[in-house]
Amino acid sequence: MQHIKTFTLVLLRNRWKDPFGVCPALTDWTRRRSVHTSSTTFEFHEYDKRSGYDTGFEIADTRIERIRLGLKQLKKEIKLWKKEMQETLISDPILDYRAGEIDVFWRFYEESSLDHWIVTSDSDHAEGFSKCDLQISHQGYGLFHGNLCSRVPKDGRIQNSGYCNMMTKRVLKSFQRDSFLDWSPYTHLNLRLRGDGRSYLINIHVSGQFDIMWNDVFTFVLYTRGGPYWQTTRIPFSKFFFASKGRIQDKQAPMPLYRITNFGITVSDKADGPFQLEIDYIGAEFDPTHHEETAYEMYEVQQNYIIGT
Amino acid sequence: MNNVIRMCRGFVICLNRQSVKSVQREFHSTDPRFDQPPKVDVVSVDSFNNVKDKNKKTYLDMLRVYQMEKYRSGHVEFINTAIKHMDEFGVNEDLETYKRLIQVLPAGKFVPQNYIQSEFMHYPKHQQCIIDLLQKMEDNGVIPDWEVEDMLVKRFGTRGFPVRRYWRMMYWMPKFNNLSPWPIPKPAPNDPYELALLAIKRISSIDIESEIKVYKTKQLEESIEDTWIVSGQSPDQKNLVANHPENVPIYIEGGFRIWLRKQSIIYFILRTEPSPAIQNEEEDEDDVSNFRVPFFDQPNRKTSNKIAKNKTVHEQEDGTILAVAATGTSSKNSLLSWIRFLEKDGNPRLSHIPILFTSKSPLGNVEPLSELDESKKEVEQSKQKVPIE
């Protein structure tokens, strides 16, 4: 019974922060039995979606404060829900996806367009010395710039460092319900940008329900020319490869385009120094001649390589 | 089986002794309960640090010295230390050195004899240290060859974890090796002149007609410095300069930074204000208040605004780029001589147009010229260098 209880609590913790603060004592097995015959492993399941990285989003300390903030939030959520209901009633879907037409998802016209994005670097978690920022340039483009530094802090724990990342916030429906971006009608990602010659990484997150799927990411390299000229990059979604926690997975799969949770761009090419990436738009397009689902082997290769196990 | 017996024997001995040490081995704890004896490295860190000239030859000599020892022990410690020092010796992109490092481990000793051994990581420390080595290869973009496979199979068997990692690397690494549309030779040149050539070529790849020209400031009488200028300009850009109005200034902007893998080069551009956008009067096709029938009405004398000259790639919305260059010193003088060379080289009109140096640009962050002083850069780099403890 005890086990079932803790298990349900653990499941609850994944979605909502534990309101009563019981969980740490119950689920932290090491605290209950400090001497054990084998070394501790935490490989059975994960407790935290953020793997222990603090977001700093916890604003309220007391319960009363939390209730007050919650009620404030409720107003906004009801408004949002009203809007959603109206939208479903009006029901105005895109009926035709014409070839060569780019549907833009993110642009950087105004200050409020930065609210969609979260910018992080290793120095935010005291794991490195990189600094970065996302701004709107004078011309009205998104300017992702900073200083990359791959110096490793001497804490004896970290082996590699040096990354800067910009990522969209998780799409949510009203009442903080998880939602997904549906890109299934599209075949290509289309970006217009001006880089500095570095290679960047495009990450399309497809976080799933269970802990092993929390860190699912489809990734591809974004090569930039560098120089004063703009470039338009068109990458088929089939080329994106499947990775989790920074490791390419053996078993590749076509990208589930109907359940995209986040979109991000990372720079971590180990070249120390300033970087800058100007972004005009990030969008997608439909190409009727493109039929590839995934560019990588889906069957098990018997010799010399490991893929599709 | 052999191992299991060995383990049991060890267990019995432990029980017989009943010493504090055996307790220490029996229990693992999250709290530090017993003082651990300090680990002693077989190869001290100093042995690599004490080498005077650090290059590939001395590095391989170090490996040879270790292999000449009669009773070789502490392979793992030695390889781990050796991996740490690869960057210092400049061998981190050298496949041969990696092979020699794998060969430090004896062949045939660590091959698992049965399934249980092979799946439960036979000789885990040895396997992990070679996995770390392969990770290092991957980080430095060194693609192993098939000889490495032979070496790994001889040491860890066909189901060894390093062998599996090697097979994964052989699938993925060649896929991305030549994927970049703007390839850089491997190894990349260290000479700033060669790098500048690569950089300007890369920037000018937008227009295939672009010509890359190298000027030496010595050829100019009025120049003070002796340096090189790599300049890129296309016939389209020359046309734009030729038709440029005399009252609109041209700016020399920079320095901007372009990265070529791990090195960067500062470049400058010749930019002017953007040409006016093509005006397209929107016609409301649903508006029938002023309906024209072409059969009865007078023909429309108004010239169409639908036809306009197509813009070149150099005419962007944030400015028209007229030329790109990188110079050896990145100084104002060298940029002035660049303009003189451009004047002589098919842009005579530049002598009539006001040309301004600017420290700001709408095209992104500009690095001020004073910062590009080479001596300052070196001081900064030496500060950042941290010795390996």
Side-chain angles (χ1 to χ4, degrees):
Chain A
M1 195 57 215
Q2 175 80 53
H3 283 264
I4 295 164
K5 214 174 161 188
T6 49
F7 187 60
T8 45
L9 264 172
V10 165
L11 278 182
L12 282 176
R13 263 196 88 187
N14 296 339
R15 294 289 301 273
W16 300 286
K17 279 263 168 168
D18 166 38
F20 308 111
V22 204
C23 278
L26 271 176
T27 50
D28 200 350
W29 295 98
T30 54
R31 213 170 288 177
R32 293 168 69 209
R33 296 189 307 169
S34 64
V35 177
H36 29 87
T37 48
S38 61
S39 52
T40 47
T41 56
F42 299 98
E43 285 169 356
F44 180 61
H45 69 276
E46 289 185 47
Y47 297 95
D48 187 10
K49 260 194 175 180
R50 315 199 137 267
S51 309
Y53 285 97
D54 188 21
T55 50
F57 286 154
E58 204 111 34
I59 324 155
D61 299 326
T62 57
R63 202 182 299 173
I64 298 166
E65 186 71 12
R66 231 177 282 172
I67 290 168
R68 194 181 293 147
L69 284 175
L71 285 172
K72 236 185 218 173
Q73 187 68 24
L74 192 64
K75 247 190 216 169
K76 287 181 200 164
E77 300 297 339
I78 289 169
K79 255 186 205 165
L80 211 69
W81 177 74
K82 226 167 110 183
K83 216 170 143 192
E84 269 168 28
M85 292 312 286
Q86 276 172 355
E87 263 172 33
T88 30
L89 286 172
I90 291 165
S91 171
D92 184 20
I94 304 172
L95 294 172
D96 188 15
Y97 293 89
R98 284 175 289 191
E101 224 173 49
I102 302 154
D103 284 347
V104 173
F105 303 134
W106 293 285
R107 253 184 209 282
F108 300 88
Y109 288 131
E110 54 204 9
E111 283 297 317
S112 65
S113 54
L114 295 181
D115 296 345
H116 297 290
W117 295 89
I118 296 173
V119 181
T120 47
S121 66
D122 50 12
S123 61
D124 294 342
H125 304 294
E127 293 183 342
F129 302 95
S130 309
K131 287 264 158 51
C132 64
D133 196 12
L134 179 66
Q135 288 175 335
I136 294 178
S137 69
H138 301 296
Q139 303 279 313
Y141 305 115
L143 179 63
F144 178 47
H145 67 112
N147 196 12
L148 197 70
C149 180
S150 56
R151 186 150 62 95
V152 181
K154 288 180 190 169
D155 63 352
R157 188 173 60 89
I158 294 157
Q159 294 176 338
N160 289 305
S161 89
Y163 75 85
C164 293
N165 182 44
M166 61 185 270
M167 190 167 89
T168 58
K169 287 179 189 168
R170 174 75 201 252
V171 263
L172 294 172
K173 285 190 282 188
S174 56
F175 302 108
Q176 306 281 315
R177 289 171 296 165
D178 286 347
S179 179
F180 301 96
L181 296 171
D182 185 4
W183 290 0
S184 46
Y186 306 106
T187 57
H188 287 73
L189 189 75
N190 202 316
L191 309 110
R192 184 161 184 265
L193 43 90
R194 175 162 56 194
D196 57 354
R198 286 176 190 264
S199 315
Y200 294 79
L201 275 182
I202 296 177
N203 303 314
I204 297 176
H205 297 246
V206 285
S207 296
Q209 178 78 37
F210 303 110
D211 59 355
I212 53 162
M213 296 144 82
W214 284 345
N215 298 297
D216 286 4
V217 175
F218 280 82
T219 311
F220 201 72
V221 200
L222 169 66
Y223 295 103
T224 58
R225 181 194 289 111
Y229 299 106
W230 285 92
Q231 72 181 72
T232 311
T233 306
R234 204 164 155 270
I235 307 170
F237 286 126
S238 59
K239 288 267 181 195
F240 281 76
F241 54 85
F242 178 42
S244 183
K245 289 200 170 181
R247 293 272 172 214
I248 303 180
Q249 300 299 301
D250 284 348
K251 196 159 190 160
Q252 293 292 315
M255 195 194 302
L257 284 165
Y258 57 92
R259 43 169 301 121
I260 283 154
T261 55
N262 310 75
F263 176 90
I265 296 174
T266 307
V267 53
S268 63
D269 60 354
K270 300 246 166 195
D272 291 2
F275 72 91
Q276 70 168 19
L277 179 72
E278 261 177 283
I279 304 164
D280 184 3
Y281 64 75
I282 297 160
E285 68 171 295
F286 167 62
D287 184 352
T289 60
H290 188 83
H291 297 293
E292 192 181 50
E293 278 189 343
T294 174
Y296 308 105
E297 275 79 349
M298 301 292 288
Y299 53 87
E300 189 174 345
V301 178
Q302 293 294 336
Q303 251 188 332
N304 297 342
Y305 306 103
I306 288 187
I307 185 73
T309 47
Chain B
M1 198 59 217
N2 225 356
N3 255 22
V4 174
I5 291 168
R6 208 180 299 150
M7 214 174 76
C8 291
R9 212 181 292 150
F11 197 66
V12 172
I13 292 164
C14 280
L15 286 180
N16 287 344
R17 276 191 196 158
Q18 288 291 327
S19 63
V20 185
K21 265 198 172 174
S22 66
V23 177
Q24 193 179 322
R25 284 196 196 125
E26 295 279 335
F27 295 102
H28 297 261
S29 170
T30 39
D31 312 323
R33 288 185 180 260
F34 308 102
D35 289 331
Q36 299 276 325
K39 276 183 185 168
V40 182
D41 285 342
V42 175
V43 184
S44 67
V45 183
D46 290 339
S47 54
F48 274 100
N49 276 345
N50 285 345
V51 178
K52 267 181 189 166
D53 18 320
K54 294 179 174 177
N55 54 36
K56 187 181 165 185
K57 196 176 161 286
T58 48
Y59 192 85
L60 292 181
D61 281 346
M62 289 294 291
L63 302 191
R64 215 168 289 130
V65 166
Y66 175 74
Q67 276 167 317
M68 275 182 347
E69 279 177 31
K70 197 178 175 189
Y71 301 108
R72 253 183 284 163
S73 65
H75 300 107
V76 177
E77 286 82 355
F78 179 77
I79 294 173
N80 282 339
T81 321
I83 288 173
K84 270 185 199 166
H85 289 273
M86 288 187 92
D87 298 333
E88 273 173 56
F89 283 74
V91 287
N92 53 5
E93 288 185 12
D94 184 51
L95 179 59
E96 197 204 332
T97 315
Y98 284 104
K99 281 186 191 169
R100 297 289 293 275
L101 267 171
I102 295 170
Q103 280 169 335
V104 167
L105 289 181
K109 280 280 176 190
F110 314 124
V111 180
Q113 302 299 312
N114 53 43
Y115 272 108
I116 293 169
Q117 282 180 350
S118 74
E119 278 312 296
F120 284 88
M121 217 169 174
H122 202 41
Y123 285 95
K125 297 258 168 171
H126 297 72
Q127 297 211 25
Q128 188 56 50
C129 114
I130 296 298
I131 288 173
D132 290 345
L133 183 83
L134 291 171
Q135 176 71 51
K136 177 95 181 167
M137 283 174 90
E138 195 184 308
D139 290 345
N140 287 302
V142 181
I143 301 182
D145 57 10
W146 295 108
E147 201 188 337
V148 177
E149 185 191 31
D150 285 348
M151 286 177 191
L152 292 175
V153 168
K154 268 182 200 158
R155 279 159 185 83
F156 299 109
T158 45
R159 292 192 62 79
F161 285 78
V163 185
R164 295 188 212 181
R165 193 176 199 290
Y166 163 84
W167 282 333
R168 288 187 183 108
M169 280 165 73
M170 286 306 272
Y171 180 80
W172 289 103
M173 289 185 75
K175 272 202 169 13
F176 295 97
N177 192 32
N178 299 318
L179 196 63
S180 172
W182 302 285
I184 301 160
K186 207 166 185 182
N190 278 323
D191 182 25
Y193 169 69
E194 298 280 324
L195 280 171
L197 265 177
L198 282 175
I200 299 297
K201 241 180 223 169
R202 184 165 172 166
I203 293 169
S204 307
S205 66
I206 186 102
D207 190 342
I208 46 165
E209 285 186 307
S210 295
E211 280 177 277
I212 315 292
K213 284 197 174 151
V214 180
Y215 306 117
K216 298 264 187 266
T217 45
K218 252 189 182 175
Q219 296 164 358
L220 221 63
E221 282 169 19
E222 59 264 38
S223 86
I224 308 160
E225 297 170 326
D226 175 21
T227 182
W228 44 262
I229 300 164
V230 182
S231 162
Q233 203 184 26
S234 76
D236 274 350
Q237 283 168 313
K238 278 181 186 170
N239 257 338
L240 287 169
V241 173
N243 297 322
H244 193 83
E246 274 181 27
N247 52 354
V248 180
I250 291 178
Y251 304 101
I252 300 174
E253 284 174 358
F256 303 105
R257 200 179 277 267
I258 180 171
W259 286 87
L260 302 154
R261 208 173 288 135
K262 299 211 167 170
Q263 288 149 308
S264 62
I265 277 284
I266 302 291
Y267 68 90
F268 297 87
I269 59 167
L270 207 61
R271 187 192 72 94
T272 182
E273 293 305 319
S275 50
I278 298 167
Q279 295 285 322
N280 241 338
E281 262 178 48
E282 286 288 318
E283 193 183 336
D284 189 3
E285 288 174 358
D286 295 332
D287 182 19
V288 287
S289 61
N290 189 16
F291 198 71
R292 286 186 68 251
V293 185
F295 297 110
F296 312 122
D297 289 358
Q298 288 288 320
N300 193 0
R301 298 244 177 258
K302 209 176 81 184
T303 50
S304 169
N305 61 358
K306 295 270 192 280
I307 297 165
K309 208 177 176 189
N310 204 2
K311 282 193 173 183
T312 58
V313 279
H314 308 288
E315 291 165 273
Q316 299 189 129
E317 63 263 34
D318 46 11
T320 304
I321 288 117
L322 300 171
V324 194
T327 73
T329 52
S330 294
S331 64
K332 250 186 186 180
N333 279 320
S334 62
L335 291 171
L336 259 173
S337 357
W338 173 45
I339 301 297
R340 296 281 166 269
F341 278 116
L342 283 181
E343 271 173 32
K344 282 185 188 170
D345 212 2
N347 303 295
R349 206 179 161 78
L350 275 179
S351 52
H352 306 293
I353 305 169
I355 293 171
L356 306 172
F357 280 96
T358 54
S359 57
K360 274 184 183 175
S361 171
L363 269 69
N365 294 341
V366 170
E367 293 175 33
L369 290 174
S370 58
E371 263 189 36
L372 303 174
D373 197 349
E374 286 298 318
S375 60
K376 269 188 188 174
K377 229 186 195 174
E378 277 173 15
V379 172
E380 271 174 26
Q381 275 176 356
S382 63
K383 271 183 195 168
Q384 280 180 354
K385 265 181 200 165
V386 185
I388 296 171
E389 273 103 345

